[in-house]
Amino acid sequence: MYGLKLDWMETPEAPYYTLEDYTGPEARWCPGCGDFAVLTAAQRLCRDEQLAPEKTVFVSGIGCSSRFPHYMKTYGFHGLHGRALPVACGIRARRPDLNIFVATGDGDCCSIGSAHWIHAVRYNMRMVVMMFDNNVYGLTKNQTSPTSPEGLRTYTHPRGAPIEGMDPLQVSLAVRGVSFIAQTVDFNPQHLLATLTAAYHHPGFAFVRILQRCPHYTPRAFAPLQENPSMMSLLVHPDGIDGGESMTRLFPNRIEHDPSDLRGARVIAEAEQGIPVGLLYKNDSVPRYDHASASGLSATREDRVKLLEQQLDWFRI
Ligand code: SF4
Ligand code: MG
C-alpha cells in the first residue's frame, strides 16, 4: 500500500516454546519411577518440534502413567480405565489439526482396554501411543497384569503368576492395519526421545512400548537389562531409529532389520533371546480411518442442514 509499512500491518513473530511451556505441576510418582524419564522425553519432544501447547493433547486411561496429562502444560484428558484410545480416536476424528499423544499402561491397554487397542491399531488414526509396560498394576498396588512374567509374585498371585505374560509387540504386529511398532527403554533417554520423535513423525498410529521401571513393585523386572545390556538387541537400519553414536556403546548387540519387513518384525518379536530395542515395523501407506472420518469436516452449516434434510427425506412416506 503506497510502500508504507505500518506497525499494525506486521505479522507477529511465532513464539518460541521452551521446556517450561510444557512443564506442568510436580509429578507425583515414586522416587526412581521410569515415568519421570518418559515425561522429560515428551516435554523435550514438544520443545524440539515446537508443538503449540494449545494444539497438543495428552490422553490417558487409569494407572500410574495415566497421570501423565496432569503434568503437561498442554490440553489433556484423563479418562476411564482402558478407554484412552477410544477417546483419542474420537478427538482425532474431529480434530485433524491436533497433536495427539496417549499415555497408557500394560493393565490399561492390554487388559480392560485390549479390544480398543486392537481396533485402534486397525484404524491407524494418527497419534503417538506411549505404552508404559512395568509388568504390573502399580496404581492399584501390585496385582498381576497381562504382561507380568510367569512366576512374578504379586498380591493376586503370592506364589507367582501361573502363566506367561502376553507380548504387546506380537499382538500389535498381528493386527491387519498395523503401521508403526517400536520398543524402547526408559533408562536410555537418547533412544527414548529418538523413538518418540520417530513416532511423532509417523503418519498413522504409532505404538511405542516403553519398558518402564517400577522400583516399588517390580524392581527386578528390567534391572538385568541395565546390568547386562547384551540381553537386548538394537535394531539398526537406515530407515530405523537413529539414537546417535552412543548407541553403539550402550547396545553391544545389534540386528540389521529393515522396518518395512513385517514378517521379519514378527520373527524378531517372537524370538526367545534378545529383547528388541528399536523400530520393528513402519509402513506409511496403510489406509487411515481418520482420512475417512475427516470427510465433510469443512462443510458449512448450510451444507450440513441440506445433507441432513436429504437423509430425513428417505423416511418420507
Ligand atoms: Fe512408578 Fe511403580 Fe510407583 Fe507407580 S508404583 S509410581 S509405576 S514406581
Ligand atoms: Mg503397569
Side-chain angles (χ1 to χ4, degrees), residues 59-306:
V59 183
S60 68
I62 294 293
C64 292
S65 56
S66 288
R67 295 191 55 78
F68 211 91
H70 295 277
Y71 307 140
M72 294 294 301
K73 212 194 283 177
T74 61
Y75 279 99
F77 193 111
H78 189 173
L80 298 174
H81 202 195
R83 313 299 184 232
L85 287 169
V87 170
C89 289
I91 295 171
R92 174 54 80 218
R94 308 317 293 167
R95 293 297 301 269
D97 57 319
L98 297 186
N99 307 300
I100 302 178
F101 296 83
V102 175
T104 181
D106 45 307
D108 193 57
C109 178
C110 306
S111 185
I112 191 169
S114 55
H116 297 306
W117 163 36
I118 287 166
H119 287 284
V121 173
R122 190 170 75 86
Y123 291 167
N124 192 32
M125 298 171 99
R126 182 169 193 171
M127 65 186 70
V128 176
V129 179
M130 304 179 290
M131 206 283 267
F132 298 65
D133 195 346
N134 59 1
N135 290 179
V136 76
Y137 283 93
L139 187 74
T140 48
K141 313 272 181 272
N142 195 28
Q143 292 87 23
T144 303
S145 91
T147 63
S148 297
E150 186 178 354
L152 182 75
R153 290 172 184 263
T154 64
Y155 292 162
T156 42
H157 293 99
R159 294 181 188 165
I163 56 170
E164 196 49 74
M166 73 192 304
D167 183 341
L169 301 178
Q170 289 179 29
V171 175
S172 300
L173 286 165
V175 178
R176 176 170 292 191
V178 63
S179 73
F180 184 107
I181 302 294
Q183 178 153 275
T184 186
V185 291
D186 70 23
F187 48 87
N188 189 312
Q190 269 176 292
H191 195 269
L192 177 60
L193 178 57
T195 305
L196 294 182
T197 303
Y200 170 72
H201 286 286
H202 176 64
F205 186 87
F207 182 86
V208 180
R209 182 194 187 197
I210 303 167
L211 303 185
Q212 178 241 314
R213 291 163 299 166
C214 171
H216 205 73
Y217 292 120
T218 52
R220 293 299 301 167
F222 306 117
L225 306 185
Q226 288 182 277
E227 292 158 8
N228 181 12
S230 63
M231 292 175 70
M232 297 176 280
S233 298
L234 184 69
L235 307 180
V236 291
H237 191 272
D239 297 332
I241 290 165
D242 182 7
E245 285 295 312
S246 62
M247 293 300 112
T248 315
R249 182 170 45 83
L250 295 169
F251 295 98
N253 291 343
R254 274 167 288 158
I255 298 176
E256 185 78 25
H257 169 64
D258 181 348
S260 67
D261 178 4
L262 181 56
R263 282 178 189 273
R266 288 172 177 157
V267 169
I268 288 170
E270 286 169 12
E272 298 283 329
Q273 300 293 321
I275 291 169
V277 174
L279 183 57
L280 284 98
Y281 184 62
K282 178 172 163 62
N283 182 347
D284 291 358
S285 55
V286 176
R288 284 168 50 185
Y289 196 96
D290 45 330
H291 284 162
S293 62
S295 94
L297 281 182
S298 57
T300 62
R301 187 175 179 280
E302 289 69 30
D303 290 339
R304 289 172 199 220
V305 170
K306 203 168 145 192

